Amino acid sequence: MFKKTSNYSQGREPELLVGLDLGTSKVAVVVAEREADGDEAQIIGVGQAPSNGIRKGLIVNLDQAVRSVRQAVSDAQNMVGQDIRGVTVAFGGGEVTSIRSKGMVALGRSPRSVAQLDIERVIDAAQANVVVPMNQSILHTIPVEYSLDGNVGIDDPLGMNAMRLDIDVQSIIVPTATIQNVLNCVTRAGLEVNSLVLKPLVSALGVLTPEDALAGAVVIDFGGGTTGIAVFADGRPKHLALLPIGGDHLTNDLATVLKLPLNKAEDIKRTISLSGDFPEGETLDFENHGKAYRIAKSELHDIICCRLDELCDELIRPEIKNAKVTMLPGGVLLTGGVAKTEGIEDFFLEKLSLPARSALPLDANRMPPNRNTQEYASAAGIIKYILDRERDPFRYLDNPSIIKGDKSKPALPKPEPVFRLNTQPGKDKEETQRGDVFDSLKRVFKDIF
Ligand SMILES: Nc1ncnc2c1ncn2[C@@H]1O[C@H](COP(=O)(O)OP(=O)(O)OP(=O)(O)O)[C@@H](O)[C@H]1O
Ligand SMILES: [Mg+2]
């Protein structure tokens, strides 16, 4: 006899979790499915479309960007055979600032157990020390480290006994206009924005194993228009940064120096090896529009290395230092399209004196072929971000009041003083507890907005 066992048969459809990655080279949409009542989600499709109207991660032409998003979503819908409405959007671009601040609360004269309210209070205290510049908004508030009675490295203080709770938080601040343009773009493409996340964070979640995140590691997402940096230790992001330089700069350098059209420079870039172990005098010979070219491989190598040297010395190394993490035994995980460059691991090993490897998404074997490479690490990481936040609402606090702003006004709306974490309806006691958390967090953020 046919036995009804699946959730479908009980009328409970699996839930779709969707991540939209607004990249400079391509827009990617990752769709995962989670069985009703399940904790884990399985990636079932990856849509993509060439990205137009986005430069250095920033939307520069809204109509073109909207078209790219629609195309990528339609590609994903065709792949999974379901409609997509709500998305978590990863974006980057423009000025991104990471500010660290500290907070402390006394728990009493004798040790007592840390309650949720104490965690809210200590975040509140740390937030009170952050000054948000005009026309900028806090996108994320990330607890970096808890200490109890001066003992650092506490993973989760809830329920532990102490007399004093300290916190170190990282606030990620981005221009309000950048956020508003992303929201406009995605909603005009017919989607609902569930939440927004900064790209370097999801790139890291897409490739970092829990062991590397605990031990200490750097993730560098080298994309088309940006380079994202995330330094993790003790399982938490200690520092996030986004640089407005990516693989397109390497292409432009080649095109400019060699006086080649961009598409040819792009093709050549993908053949270059950074190892430099080609025989002396070896050349690359090719024809373009009837003209014959002969370029020394050493010259191509030098052009690319010159730009990468500068990027490492001037920008990447200082950002890693900013994280103030002394040990990074997990080394450097390189991802994003440029991480496919031959010899890039050795280049970074030498430059940063850390073991380096090119990293595929952790879920690569569940993703479709050709859409499971380094370019898709950040999109895959969005699903991990959604799940992580559900498991631990205090891990990455975001500011959904930005999303709920009044879009009828052309001017940027003043965000409501409401801080709400994403929950799903009908979730009982746990939901009520989280509801209390929201109320408390309203107070936390009230002063800021
Ligand atoms: N095999 C390869 N060798 C070198 N570079 C490559 C290779 N394949 C792709 N790239 C480069 O990777 C970049 C695109 O990477 P990716 O898809 O990760 O960017 P993106 O996510 O769209 O952009 P961003 O995150 O910067 O906004 C392009 O500059 C492309 O030239
Ligand atoms: Mg990217």
Side-chain angles (χ1 to χ4, degrees), residues 21 26 199 221 378:
D21 178 18
K26 49 102 196 47
K199 270 194 288 193
D221 176 351
S378 46

Side-chain angles (χ1 to χ4, degrees), residues 83-95:
D83 278 349
I84 290 170
R85 269 210 74 69
V87 292
T88 293
V89 185
F91 75 102
E95 198 188 331

Side-chain angles (χ1 to χ4, degrees), residues 21-26 199 203 221-226 228 242 335-337 374-379:
D21 178 18
L22 293 178
T24 307
S25 303
K26 49 102 196 47
K199 270 194 288 193
S203 308
D221 176 351
F222 212 147
T226 64
L242 192 74
T335 196
Q374 289 87 339
E375 292 100 314
Y376 295 91
S378 46

